[in-house]
Amino acid sequence: MPDVVAPGLDVLFCGINPSLLSAERGHHFARPGNRFWPALHLAGLTPRRLTPEEDRELPRYGLGVTNLVDRPTRTAAELTPEELRAGAAALAGLVARCRPRVLAVLGLTAWRLATGAPRAGWGRQPVSVGGAETWVLPNPSGLNAHFQLPDLARLYAGLRPPGG
């Protein structure tokens, strides 16, 4: 999956890894039940609901998207801790090069495994990645039933730039 990045983004979203369908289609968050695109719009981060096929348009809105691990799987549980740790190291390099204001990692369990921080919680993290303010927010996958779309939108809205 190609990263969708540009220098100086407001927010770089980092998914865990591509789904099999996203990898097949070549677009981020492509599964029909994924709530990423509606959450961005409801959060006020995009002026309308974009589709996965429009993922390359995100930098127009100060947004970008990448993945912690490039390997597509049916579920993120198939990833190894070693893959997640290697992905975190690569992510730090990408963030240092692109310099987004905020890095938003979408998935608490993956973040905990990737960083070796088993007690990490939701929200702003006490450590930065690649120099960016780092947040951990819920994954928008339809498999994550703990958070509904209004919850995701409210949490993602907290990433808007001051005055934005």
Side-chain angles (χ1 to χ4, degrees):
M1 291 289 298
D3 295 326
V4 177
V5 296
L9 296 169
D10 286 319
V11 181
L12 176 60
F13 288 95
C14 180
I16 300 168
N17 72 310
S19 69
L20 297 175
L21 184 63
S22 287
E24 177 185 312
R25 294 188 176 168
H27 294 286
H28 294 271
F29 300 105
R31 287 182 56 94
N34 196 291
R35 299 161 302 169
F36 180 74
W37 302 105
L40 287 185
H41 176 59
L42 291 173
L45 294 169
T46 59
R48 63 180 176 80
R49 182 176 169 175
L50 300 177
T51 66
E53 294 74 27
E54 295 175 294
D55 58 3
R56 294 342 173 262
E57 299 294 317
L58 285 171
R60 292 178 52 196
Y61 307 109
L63 307 174
V65 65
T66 188
N67 286 297
L68 195 55
V69 175
D70 290 331
R71 181 169 69 92
T73 60
R74 185 174 309 280
T75 70
E78 296 173 40
L79 300 173
T80 67
E82 294 78 21
E83 285 178 293
L84 293 166
R85 284 192 294 273
L91 178 63
L94 175 67
V95 171
R97 286 189 304 279
C98 294
R99 305 185 56 83
R101 181 180 60 81
V102 172
L103 170 66
V105 178
L106 303 178
L108 182 58
T109 300
W111 171 257
R112 287 173 172 170
L113 291 170
T115 61
R119 291 193 170 97
W122 298 111
R124 187 174 182 175
Q125 300 300 298
V127 298
S128 70
V129 172
E133 179 180 314
T134 302
W135 288 69
V136 175
L137 297 173
N139 192 288
S141 168
L143 299 174
N144 182 5
H146 298 298
F147 291 91
Q148 298 301 312
L149 181 56
D151 302 318
L152 296 174
R154 179 180 48 78
L155 294 167
Y156 291 14
L159 302 174
R160 287 193 306 240

